[in-house]
């Protein structure tokens, strides 16, 4: 990508069982990273893109199938216009400069979030990133842009209501699966691991439906400082967790099967 040329990435280094299939990232703390250094907030976001670039490379190396990044929330439009502009410019530059490396590394780009009311230029850019990488079969990089989980769920509810009114769907057929199929993430696995940087411990309207059984990890570093080692430590921590999905702990399950 932009700063380092094309990387030759080898086989995943972690055993397939240990690696989460889908990792989602709340890249928080850019502003505080910049403030702590007496720099403008823009500089924090700019360094945040560098951290994202490294994280995409690491995700490929670790054998992650889906990496979702919260790049711009529906609430972010309320930030000062200069900051909104700088975030849009960074997204623009990321797609323009990094698409070639993403292509070379077989990365497929997907975008979630509302496309309604987006400027034609930005909507076109997102579509170009998706279309030009649609045939790639490696990591899927899911960019959450103009994204809000409540808005996504409301849109799914609206779609279901429209189908019911049109007589194509009976209310009794609406179940969790029917809702999931109408979300932006319809054909993706739920995130296994959600990482939020900067020490804040909340989801902030990010993947609320999909997070039902995700492991949550809150790391104290600000996003621009999030390194390959931090990512690897997060994946190691994930591998230690016992995911029960409402069932029994692994040890109890083994005991039950043995008895
Ligand atoms: C949160 O930090 C981060 C954001 C609102 C934007 C994240 C965006 C990027 C890393 C770059 C753009 C993305 C792409 C895909 C090119 P904050 O500003 O809320 O930090 P603070 O809480 O410390 O103020």
């Amino acid at each position: 990508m932009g700063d380092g040329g094309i990387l030759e990435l080898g086989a995943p280094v972690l055993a397939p069982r240990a690696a989460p299939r889908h990792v989602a990232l709340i890249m928080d703390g850019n502003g505080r990273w910049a403030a702590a250094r007496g720099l403008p907030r823009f500089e924090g976001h700019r360094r945040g893109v560098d951290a994202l670039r490294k994280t995409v490379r690491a995700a490929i190396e670790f054998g992650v199938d889906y990496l979702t990044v919260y790049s711009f929330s529906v609430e972010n439009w309320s930030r000062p216009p200069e900051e909104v502009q700088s975030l849009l410019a960074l997204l623009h530059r990321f797609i323009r400069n990094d698409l070639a490396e993403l292509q070379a590394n077989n990365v497929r780009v997907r975008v979630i979030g509302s496309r309604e009311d987006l400027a034609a230029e930005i909507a076109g850019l997102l579509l170009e990133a998706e279309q030009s990488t649609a045939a790639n079969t490696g990591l899927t990089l899911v960019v959450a842009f103009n994204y809000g989980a409540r808005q996504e769920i409301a849109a799914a509810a609206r779609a279901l209501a429209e189908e019911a009114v049109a007589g194509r769907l009976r209310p009794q057929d609406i179940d969790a699966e029917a809702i999931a199929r109408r979300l932006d993430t319809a054909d993706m696995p739920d995130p296994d691991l959600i990482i939020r940087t900067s020490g804040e411990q909340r989801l902030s309207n990010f993947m609320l439906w999909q997070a039902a059984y995700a492991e949550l990890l809150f790391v104290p570093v600000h996003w621009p400082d999030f390194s390959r080692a931090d990512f690897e430590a997060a994946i190691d921590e994930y591998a230690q967790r016992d995911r029960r999905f409402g069932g029994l702990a692994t040890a109890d399950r083994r005991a039950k099967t043995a008895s």
Side-chain angles (χ1 to χ4, degrees), residues 71-72 77 84-96 111 114-130 143 145-146:
S71 79
F72 195 91
W77 295 110
V84 170
Q85 275 319 310
S86 69
L87 284 166
L88 296 182
L90 283 172
L91 178 74
H92 187 281
R93 213 174 305 157
F94 178 75
I95 293 177
R96 279 279 159 268
V111 180
S114 173
R115 313 278 176 111
E116 273 173 39
D117 303 327
L118 284 187
E121 207 259 332
I122 198 92
L125 202 63
L126 297 174
L127 197 63
E128 180 194 331
E130 287 188 304
V143 178
F145 180 81
N146 193 27

Side-chain angles (χ1 to χ4, degrees), residues 242 248-256:
D242 192 12
L248 296 177
T250 309
D252 297 338
R253 223 165 29 232
R254 280 203 200 101
K256 201 165 190 307

Side-chain angles (χ1 to χ4, degrees), residues 146-190:
N146 193 27
Y147 178 83
R150 287 181 167 180
Q151 289 75 4
E152 180 190 32
I153 295 167
R158 215 157 38 237
L160 288 164
E162 280 162 7
E163 290 171 50
V165 166
R168 295 196 302 275
L169 182 74
R170 298 176 310 164
Q172 60 267 37
D173 293 332
I174 298 175
D175 55 11
E177 191 47 45
I179 296 172
R181 275 203 307 274
R182 286 157 183 87
L183 298 174
D184 295 354
T185 51
D187 56 349
M188 301 176 197
D190 284 342

Side-chain angles (χ1 to χ4, degrees), residues 213 215 241-253:
Y213 292 102
E215 295 297 325
R241 302 256 181 114
D242 192 12
R243 302 186 75 197
R244 296 202 286 276
F245 299 96
L248 296 177
T250 309
D252 297 338
R253 223 165 29 232

